[in-house]
Amino acid sequence: MTALTDLTLAAAKAKLTAKDISAKELTQAHLAAVAGARSLNAFTTETPDKALAMAEASDARLAKGEGGLLEGVPLAIKDLFCTRDVESTACSNILKGFKPRYESTVTQNLWDAGAVMLGKTSMDEFAMGSSNETACGGPVTNPWRRQGSNSALVPGGSSGGSATAVAARLALGATATDTGGSIRQPAAFTGTVGVKPTYGRCSRWGIVAFASSLDQAGPIARTVEDAALMLTAMAGHDPKDSTSLPLATPDFAAACGTSIKGLKIGVPREYRVDGMPDEIESLWRTGIAWAKDAGAEIVEVSLPLTKYALPTYYIIAPAEASSNLARYDGMRFGVRVDGDGLTGTYEDTRAAGFGPEVQRRILIGTYVLSAGYYDAYYLKAQKVRRKIRDDFDQAFTQVDALLTPTTPTAAFAAGEKSDDPLAMYLNDSFTVTANLAGLPGISIPAALDGDGLPLGLQVIAPALAEERMFAVASALEKAAAFDARPDVWWAG
Amino acid sequence: MPDCPYTLPGATGDWEVVVGLEVHAQVASKAKLFSGASAEYGAAPNSHVSLVDAAMPGMLPVINKFCVEQAIRTGLGLKAQINLWSRFDRKNYFYPDLPQGYQISQFKDPIVGEGEIVVELDDGETITVGIERLHLEQDAGKSIHDLDPKATYVDLNRSGVALMEIVSKPDLRSPQQAAAYVRKLRSIVRYLGTCDGNMAQGSMRADVNVSVCRPGAYEKYKAKGDFSHLGTRCEIKNVNSQRFVALAVEVEARRQIAILEDGGRIDQETRLLDTVKGETRSMRSKEEAHDYRYFPDPDLLPLEFEQAWVDEIKKTLPELPDEKRKRFVAELGLSDYDAGVLTADKERADFFEAVADGRDPKLAANWVSQELFGALNKADKDLSDSPVSTAQLGKLIDLIGDDTISGKIAKDVFAKMFETGDDPAAIVEREGLTQITDTGAIEAIIDALIADNPKQVEQVKEKPKALGWFVGQVMQQTQGKANPGAVNKLLKEKLGL
């Protein structure tokens, strides 16, 4: 029999409904896995008591033939989500000890669907990073290692803890958030599936804000269908978020496995960047072949402004962050370091509370919004952002979805890029565009590179066309038949 | 172009002032602008604070439609352009009473654009003052510095309360004009019901922008809208009464003139009015001014609505003071002065209209504006604290009308009403003030008078003006209760005049 932690979310759901297994034993198996994997540092807070109580409640509902979409399914929650009475810190010292008296809309939706909370996962501080090395609780280690090597690799970021928890089979799925690639890039680095839905699908209420116009919550899971099930439960209109879309949520899982015959899949030529490893290039070609085999028509398209996406992102995101993070002033919650007068207290609190990457982005953001620089940076970036959106609109008049690699490289070594912010930022080259345009994107594990590390393919769809995106992703998933998994070197 | 109404003489020649006002008017709304928390005044500290108001992590603003409607109503009342598309921006700065670290305001695209209001001055003249814009914004909390020598306490009850910032053009030319503008603006928002106008509680406060220039410069600015003809302005923050607005203009103008006459330069800065010393003090200079880093709030969608909604709101606008004043003159036959006094404030107009309902409007106007307002003024009371109700004053007028009491007695009754709050009928009854209209009783008194005073009878036949003596005698004997008309008529008959 398959270990309970090896089940897919969909399979576990079927077994729970059939009463083959109980939510309690499923949860216990995962709690044991979590406890055994502390060396990965994926979790910042474990909530075993809460998990067991929730599992027992699920079992009671299941016994009565009741239960929601995710009844009894154990999940990990990114620490960016505020969870009632459970420390929620965005992995920042400035929020140390902060236990909200409220529950984010997305996590509440999951609990309402019957899901079980295993704990909170590590992330880059305030979701700023691509390697999970800026977390105040120390870096997360990728379960995958290069063949024949014991050196630690990063799991990607900022949702590195969530991706690790799913890849190491510590949870059936995990919540994550994506501002410039923070779901899709760690999914690609860990051989998991990560979905960033259309901006506005998931409520941002109760999620610690990084860059409001870019942030979106989404799931990380082990299959496309699992991710679709989770997203169905997470999404939905929320009147408490003015940017939440007032739309009903489709049954995303139903879209998985539907035919993509006759769909036009675009391949954007600008994503073929200089210095891209041959393996990424060949993975992309393979993906194109899979889509063709599934009956799709491949069309080369142009997104001419692609090269401006990263600089645009690194103006808009820090600008919004510099303002969003102003509330962490030591006055009402979190950490306060008393200094010389009010200004001294602000300075000392924020110097002690924020790590270097967060400080860097606050400085960049403050600069680009300053009088005399606003027009040259922020305003211009907004204009470019609109043009990037126009690029996509234009492309989607010709094609139904786009296929690209998720990242320009496989997972890299811990410490390799942490001293070079610009090299780190390049990780997001293929993913930031979807955030700037508000589009849904998915990363699926497609193959291993020469070192035995997973590589991801990305499907980007027009706004609100998640169902089509899931159909394409599941066709590629089927063709890839990716069944590699990391050796369990961390246990015990 | 009329002459400048206010010049200040200097050693080097005359100076004129140019004033523009930014008035912050709290929207009369039960809930705050972006959270459901109560906006009620006077609650225990920090008892009206939602998670959004306290800027807890992950909290998001959601616009209060009622507040938007009040801004539109106010815009319509200011005869201003209503912008169907506007946007909220963040104004970033750090302060403990600003939990978000930014104030949500409207910077580039306000909900209301240009308008104008007609302002009545004390001398009866009127001026038209341009409105530059009106925008919606959040109020900050309150810092309390005097509870503890070392600590500052913060009350967030006000944090997030909806304000309308109403910005005038620099069209005001004297302390009196500035005060009159605030008075009129207050009157309009109170008529509209969009702000209670309570300046003592801070529901309305003004930032006063003052500059000085030489005669002729203002006209040059007006001709082409070229601000370079005007002097450097200073902003006096948070002035909370009409009187202090006038004081701020005057003392700030004098300060600037003194500097300029000494060959100095005015630095653009923010200043505070010390109402005790009668001077303004520097708060922060331009160099110390915040760089607010305004940018569109990404948590909110642009504020968009249909013209149809504006039209609907327009239909529900009450009669505003200017229209009411015209109607009082044209339809009720009041003097322009009385109409002005009675419409200056919605409460006054409402009071008058209730008293005048079904009665002689001129008589009602007289009793309300002369007697009642006079008595209130003397007692230093507001109309809202009037011991005499509209029904009571109306009844008093009715008692005159049906000859129960004379106008003269009515004044005594009114004085007692004002003192006790009793009904006029009860006072008349209790004090036995009912007018004697029984001609028989009056006749008897007159007959006796004629019989007892032959000398006076002789005199009055030669000098009819001496009739007053007889009237006085009758009144004296009846304690003023005899109907004066009846007395006059009977006396003339009996004396053969």
Side-chain angles (χ1 to χ4, degrees), chain A residues 199-446:
Chain A
Y199 183 79
R201 270 283 190 212
C202 288
S203 168
R204 294 184 296 111
W205 194 89
I207 301 174
V208 172
F210 162 15
S212 311
S213 74
L214 300 158
D215 295 346
Q216 258 301 290
I220 291 178
R222 286 198 291 272
T223 70
V224 174
E225 186 191 11
D226 288 0
L229 281 167
M230 265 189 79
L231 182 61
T232 304
M234 292 165 73
H237 178 234
D238 179 7
K240 290 188 286 186
D241 174 1
S242 308
T243 63
S244 159
L245 295 167
L247 297 171
T249 306
D251 177 357
F252 293 124
C256 298
T258 56
S259 169
I260 64 163
K261 205 165 176 178
L263 281 190
K264 288 183 181 163
I265 308 280
V267 177
R269 73 172 71 98
E270 289 79 7
Y271 281 53
R272 206 163 278 124
V273 293
D274 287 344
M276 187 158 82
D278 290 344
E279 284 170 309
I280 301 281
E281 176 85 41
S282 93
L283 168 79
W284 197 4
R285 274 198 302 272
T286 308
I288 290 167
W290 290 335
K292 254 191 218 163
D293 290 347
E297 185 189 333
I298 303 299
V299 181
E300 188 170 89
V301 294
S302 175
L303 296 168
L305 287 159
T306 300
K307 65 176 168 185
Y308 300 113
L310 207 58
T312 300
Y313 173 84
Y314 275 98
I315 289 168
I316 292 172
E320 293 182 9
S322 71
S323 177
N324 281 335
L325 270 57
R327 65 187 56 198
Y328 307 105
D329 58 1
M331 295 295 143
R332 298 170 310 289
F333 47 77
V335 165
R336 178 201 310 222
V337 179
D338 282 310
D340 186 12
L342 178 62
T343 305
T345 299
Y346 280 147
E347 287 172 354
D348 294 357
T349 297
R350 289 165 67 85
F354 292 138
E357 183 60 29
V358 172
Q359 291 185 21
R360 175 160 33 241
R361 300 212 194 180
I362 291 173
L363 286 172
I364 293 171
T366 304
Y367 180 82
V368 299
L369 289 176
S370 297
Y373 299 99
Y374 180 90
D375 288 359
Y377 291 100
Y378 185 78
L379 200 62
K380 185 159 271 177
Q382 287 292 16
K383 287 179 183 162
V384 177
R385 181 178 187 178
R386 206 163 303 129
K387 289 211 172 289
I388 288 171
R389 205 177 297 154
D390 293 346
D391 264 10
F392 276 103
D393 286 347
Q394 178 59 34
F396 285 128
T397 61
Q398 306 164 54
V399 298
D400 299 305
L402 297 166
L403 176 63
T404 77
T406 308
T407 56
T409 68
F412 47 89
E416 192 180 316
K417 296 182 181 180
S418 42
D419 293 333
D420 185 351
L422 289 181
M424 190 71 90
Y425 295 170
L426 287 173
N427 268 285
D428 298 332
S429 299
F430 300 155
T431 46
V432 282
T433 52
N435 299 83
L436 290 169
L439 305 174
I442 185 171
S443 174
I444 60 155

Side-chain angles (χ1 to χ4, degrees), chain B residues 106-132:
Chain B
Q106 295 190 298
F107 182 53
K108 275 202 178 133
D109 302 290
I111 181 167
V112 175
E114 292 188 335
E116 60 178 40
I117 66 176
V118 175
V119 175
E120 294 79 20
L121 305 174
D122 293 338
D123 58 9
E125 292 289 310
T126 61
I127 52 166
T128 300
V129 180
I131 300 294
E132 179 72 34

Side-chain angles (χ1 to χ4, degrees), chain B residues 321-334:
Chain B
D322 293 351
E323 286 89 65
K324 206 182 266 293
R325 178 179 186 157
K326 280 181 203 144
R327 180 169 63 83
F328 282 6
V329 172
E331 291 179 18
L332 304 185
L334 303 192

Side-chain angles (χ1 to χ4, degrees), chain B residues 72 84 304-312:
Chain B
I72 297 171
L84 302 180
E304 287 181 274
F305 45 83
E306 304 279 325
Q307 181 61 40
W309 190 39
V310 178
D311 295 340
E312 226 171 89

